[in-house]
Amino acid sequence: MTVEDIQNGQVFLIDKPLDWTSFDVVNKIRWNLRKTYQLKKIKVGHAGTLDPKATGLLIVCCGKMTKQIDQIQSQHKTYTGTIKLDATTPTYDLESEEDCQFSTAHLTEEKIHETTKQFIGKIDQVPPLHSAIKKDGKRLYEIARAGETIEIEPRKIEILSFKITRIELPFVDFEVVCSKGTYIRSLAFDFGRSLQVGGYLTALCRTKIGDYALKDADNSVLNLIADTEN
């Protein structure tokens, strides 16, 4: 790629590593582009956050393609992952320790599959307290870490598909197709609550955003990002 290519805009499909934030990836790409192409400044942004404990497709745009970010991130997204159904955590994922445990003795495969239907369509979803959403000028995770409680307004989201692909209690694997703004962590928690057990994510991978697919992620770009550590 030339300097002109970068400034005219590029879209990078990244397979985000576990424990990296989306901001980490953006920073690495920005640093690498500036160093490689001797640029004082270059716009770089991502089209939809992935939590640190999630992996999979992160779309990063640079140059003039940053103008397309809103359009890209408004498209439907597909996720696969695993929910543990016998406990909860404050963050609804592996970023915190289990705080409550439940028995799954009453669960049947039929009940698990049947309960997914409650979440199909346009629904109200309460985002996790441990999230980057702002409330009264503060990030929700800052409020949570301070030990404060706050009422969080539910948001309208849409679940187009929610399928259970494997059951090996207390773990279930799933695939979800959903709208922008959906928190899969909240879906895992709400799903567990509907089954009268706990629920939190132990794995999450984003496989698609619109027509962009994880299988097309450019691993060479990811290696270049890693090389900037040296």
Side-chain angles (χ1 to χ4, degrees), residues 29-173:
I29 291 180
R30 183 187 293 114
W31 190 93
N32 192 51
L33 292 177
R34 288 178 61 189
K35 180 182 178 184
T36 302
Y37 296 96
Q38 299 182 340
L39 295 167
K40 288 185 178 179
K41 218 167 127 178
I42 182 69
K43 285 186 177 180
V44 183
H46 66 74
T49 303
L50 275 177
D51 290 330
K53 291 298 180 185
T55 60
L57 182 61
L58 183 72
I59 298 178
V60 179
C61 301
C62 75
K64 293 179 182 178
M65 283 304 297
T66 55
K67 295 177 181 178
Q68 302 298 317
I69 284 177
D70 286 346
Q71 179 184 338
I72 293 171
Q73 68 183 5
S74 68
Q75 299 181 70
H76 291 143
K77 300 169 178 67
T78 303
Y79 296 88
T80 60
T82 303
I83 301 171
K84 190 168 186 276
L85 285 175
D86 66 348
T88 58
T89 72
T91 57
Y92 304 170
D93 65 7
L94 289 171
E95 282 211 84
S96 55
E97 299 292 326
E98 292 182 1
D99 54 0
C100 294
Q101 285 77 38
F102 304 85
S103 170
T104 59
H106 65 286
L107 292 184
T108 64
E109 291 196 5
E110 182 182 5
K111 177 66 173 175
I112 291 170
H113 285 291
E114 186 67 24
T115 301
T116 62
K117 296 176 183 177
Q118 297 178 23
F119 298 91
I120 303 297
K122 294 181 179 179
I123 61 172
D124 290 324
Q125 184 186 72
V126 178
L129 180 55
H130 291 262
S131 65
I133 294 171
K134 281 190 174 181
K135 175 82 172 180
D136 300 329
K138 284 186 179 180
R139 300 284 185 187
L140 291 184
Y141 64 76
E142 295 173 338
I143 296 171
R145 288 171 184 170
E148 301 173 25
T149 57
I150 190 169
E151 185 174 345
I152 306 172
E153 296 288 332
R155 296 181 164 195
K156 281 283 183 191
I157 61 156
E158 185 175 11
I159 306 292
L160 287 87
S161 173
F162 183 12
K163 298 175 183 176
I164 300 300
T165 56
R166 180 185 70 98
I167 298 174
E168 194 170 324
L169 291 175
F171 299 98
V172 297
D173 292 348

Side-chain angles (χ1 to χ4, degrees), residues 1 6 10-17 20 24-26 28-30 32-33 36-37 44 58-62 216-229:
M1 285 184 291
I6 297 301
Q10 297 292 317
V11 175
F12 301 110
L13 305 186
I14 307 296
D15 184 357
K16 189 190 80 65
W20 284 38
D24 288 337
V25 176
V26 168
K28 294 294 184 183
I29 291 180
R30 183 187 293 114
N32 192 51
L33 292 177
T36 302
Y37 296 96
V44 183
L58 183 72
I59 298 178
V60 179
C61 301
C62 75
D216 298 320
D218 187 345
N219 289 333
S220 66
V221 176
L222 189 58
N223 291 337
L224 283 174
I225 298 168
D227 286 345
T228 65
E229 299 275 22

Side-chain angles (χ1 to χ4, degrees), residues 145-207:
R145 288 171 184 170
E148 301 173 25
T149 57
I150 190 169
E151 185 174 345
I152 306 172
E153 296 288 332
R155 296 181 164 195
K156 281 283 183 191
I157 61 156
E158 185 175 11
I159 306 292
L160 287 87
S161 173
F162 183 12
K163 298 175 183 176
I164 300 300
T165 56
R166 180 185 70 98
I167 298 174
E168 194 170 324
L169 291 175
F171 299 98
V172 297
D173 292 348
F174 65 88
E175 181 184 76
V176 168
V177 182
C178 59
S179 67
K180 171 187 175 182
T182 302
Y183 278 88
I184 307 300
R185 283 185 288 146
S186 287
L187 179 62
F189 177 82
D190 293 339
F191 183 59
R193 183 169 55 184
S194 292
L195 289 167
Q196 298 181 317
V197 294
Y200 70 92
L201 287 179
T202 60
L204 182 65
C205 179
R206 184 159 63 198
T207 60

